[in-house]
Structure formats: structure tokens, C-alpha cells
Amino acid sequence: MMNHILKLAICQMAITDNKTVNLSKAESMIKAAAQQNCQLAILPEMFNCPYKAELFSQYAEFYPEGETIQMLSKTAADSKIGIVGGSIPEKDKFGNVYNTSFIFDETGTLIGRHRKIHLFDVEIKGGTVFKESSILAPGQDCTVVKIAGVTLGIAICYDIRFPELSRLMTLAGANMLIFPAVFSVSTGPDHWELLIRGRAVDNQVFVVGAAPATTIESACQAYGHSMAADPWGNIIGSTGIEEEILIVEINLEKMCTVREQLPLLKHRRPDVYKSNYNS
């Protein structure tokens, strides 16, 4: 039986159009999490800038010299805490801009980088209209890393809607899937918790959704409601819409127990799936 406990903090921060203010807030929340003996801090999607496609290039940073990236690395090392850096706009040497999560261990070393694979191009009647592909390039890789003895699969927002990716991360050994996300008030009430619990039940893993707080003056109204689900699909911690640090403890023994009682992954039939699914 795997009895390993991880204490994590979901930093549901309010995002402004001032990068300096955003970085200061993120840093203070990470340090507060470390002071409460958390081993991992998780930030929301696009935590250093407003969620507006037309602004992503303006706020984009290069690795490793970007100020947000430097802050995450230094804060991780100074506070001795692992960080899933939500996501920020990242620019590469070819001029491409990505929606990227930088992941650091407790020494401040970069151990992973996830570029959002599925770009959010939608037009919901009477609700959200957004076209990420007008600015962003898609990532190409599944991202799995290990922090504090727990194997994490990292993906971003819209990625959660594609169960194939979550299954790939699970088959690669992930015990917990983490999704920094800005779900809107159009889709959040109906889909956010459903997707988090669904991916948890599908893969018998812990799932964490890290959202920003709702800011009334923002053009994109974030739904908030950061939460975590266990491998049985139970919500083990959640927030409302206000700025908050949500602290959750996960015990991998729960995952082992669920998989022993209901061995879904052992009962998979990839031989059938491959012969009947060609796209």
C-alpha cells in the first residue's frame, strides 16, 4: 500500500492588468503556502496578465530570462517549495507565442514545461467568444514530472476536455493531474466540476483545477471555484469566487485502494480500441 501524503496549495489569485502587481501577489501566496508547510503551490492559468488574446504577445516572456520565470525559480528555491507556475505567455526565438506552464522543484530547478496543446477557439451563443489560435501556437508534448515523491501530469484549461490526454498522462505514471484554467461564467457552472470529477474517475487519479478569482471589472469573467477531486470522484477541497489559498492534503493510499477495488486500468482493451479507432 502506498501511504504517501502531499500537502498542496491552490493559489486562487485575482489577476490585474499590471504584471508587477500580479507577480507580487503570486510570490506572496506561494510564500504563504510554504509557511503552512505545503510542498507544492499551484497558480492559475495566465496569472501574470489579463486573459485577452490581443495582450498575450505584450506580456510574453522568453525562457529563462523572463521576469515571471525568474520569480518562480527564486521563490521556489528561497521557500523550498515546488511550484506549478499556472501559465504565462511564452515567446520562442522564432516569434511563436505559447500558453505555457513552467514547473519548478523545491531547489528552483525547472523540471518541466507544458505548452497548452488544445487551443480555445469557441463561439458560445450569448456567452464566451475567444480565438486563442489568432495569437498562440499549440504545444506538442504530454507533460509528466515528479515533485515531492508524487508524479504529476500537467495540462492547461481546454486540455481537460480531451480525455485522451489525461489517459496518456495517467499511463505515463501520473498520480495527480493538474489543470490551471480560466473557465468562464458561461461554461464553468455546468462543466468545471463535472470535468474535474470525470477525469478523476476515468483515470483513478487525483485531479486539481486551479482558477483565478473572479474580478468583476475584467472583460473575461473567470468562474473561480478552484477545487480538487480524489480518485473516487469526491471533491476534497474547493473555493468560491474570492481570492483564497486552498490547502489540500492528498494521500496516494486512496488511489491504490480505489484501483484495487475497481481495477479499471487493468481491464482496458487497447487491442480493441486500436482496431476500431483510426483517428
Side-chain angles (χ1 to χ4, degrees):
M1 192 68 72
M2 186 185 295
N3 186 16
H4 184 93
I5 296 174
L6 174 72
K7 188 175 183 181
L8 63 86
I10 306 172
C11 302
Q12 182 167 293
M13 56 179 282
I15 313 298
T16 75
D17 60 2
N18 186 314
K19 182 188 276 192
T20 301
V21 171
N22 294 334
L23 297 192
S24 178
K25 173 61 68 174
E27 182 180 357
S28 68
M29 293 181 92
I30 294 166
K31 288 180 176 179
Q35 289 169 0
Q36 296 186 65
N37 298 315
C38 292
Q39 298 148 284
L40 177 66
I42 305 165
L43 296 169
E45 181 183 20
M46 291 296 183
F47 74 90
N48 74 345
C49 68
Y51 194 77
K52 295 180 182 178
E54 63 270 23
L55 294 179
F56 291 160
S57 294
Q58 176 184 331
Y59 285 79
E61 300 182 11
F62 290 99
Y63 174 82
E65 63 266 30
E67 61 179 314
T68 304
I69 298 162
Q70 289 289 315
M71 181 277 289
L72 292 173
S73 176
K74 185 177 187 304
T75 305
D78 290 348
S79 298
K80 297 180 174 56
I81 188 171
I83 298 173
V84 175
S87 78
I88 66 169
E90 176 209 6
K91 186 176 288 186
D92 70 11
K93 63 182 180 180
F94 303 106
N96 297 310
V97 178
Y98 300 93
N99 185 342
T100 304
S101 181
F102 291 91
I103 306 109
F104 296 88
D105 69 12
E106 68 280 0
T107 70
T109 301
L110 182 75
I111 59 171
R113 168 169 43 185
H114 178 74
R115 290 169 168 168
K116 189 176 186 178
I117 295 171
H118 304 93
L119 299 183
F120 188 58
D121 289 359
V122 300
E123 187 171 342
I124 299 172
K125 188 174 181 179
T128 302
V129 177
F130 211 87
K131 192 173 179 64
E132 281 190 326
S133 66
S134 65
I135 300 294
L136 299 176
Q140 303 294 328
D141 299 311
C142 176
T143 306
V144 177
V145 300
K146 194 165 189 175
I147 290 180
V150 178
T151 304
L152 312 175
I154 312 297
I156 298 171
C157 198
Y158 198 44
D159 286 339
I160 197 174
R161 291 187 180 272
F162 300 86
E164 300 92 338
L165 178 58
S166 291
R167 179 53 54 88
L168 281 174
M169 293 188 288
T170 301
L171 294 178
N175 312 126
M176 179 164 61
L177 307 180
I178 296 176
F179 296 93
V182 182
F183 266 57
S184 72
V185 293
S186 298
T187 58
D190 293 328
H191 296 167
W192 178 234
E193 180 177 332
L194 178 68
L195 286 164
I196 289 171
R197 297 181 68 189
R199 295 295 86 86
V201 171
D202 286 347
N203 298 288
Q204 301 181 314
V205 293
F206 291 89
V207 176
V208 172
T214 302
T215 48
I216 303 302
E217 64 276 12
S218 174
C220 177
Q221 287 293 303
Y223 177 58
H225 294 87
S226 297
M227 63 182 69
D230 72 13
W232 196 253
N234 296 312
I235 297 299
I236 55 175
S238 62
T239 68
I241 65 172
E242 303 293 335
E243 195 167 73
E244 180 180 345
I245 299 175
L246 174 65
I247 295 178
V248 177
E249 287 191 0
I250 69 161
N251 190 334
L252 294 187
E253 183 177 352
K254 176 69 175 181
M255 183 188 74
C256 296
T257 299
V258 168
R259 291 183 176 184
E260 287 172 1
Q261 294 175 350
L262 193 62
L264 297 182
L265 297 176
K266 290 182 180 179
H267 292 163
R268 293 173 60 251
R269 290 289 308 278
D271 57 321
V272 175
Y273 311 150
K274 288 178 182 177
S275 63
N276 289 279
Y277 183 69
N278 298 314
S279 62

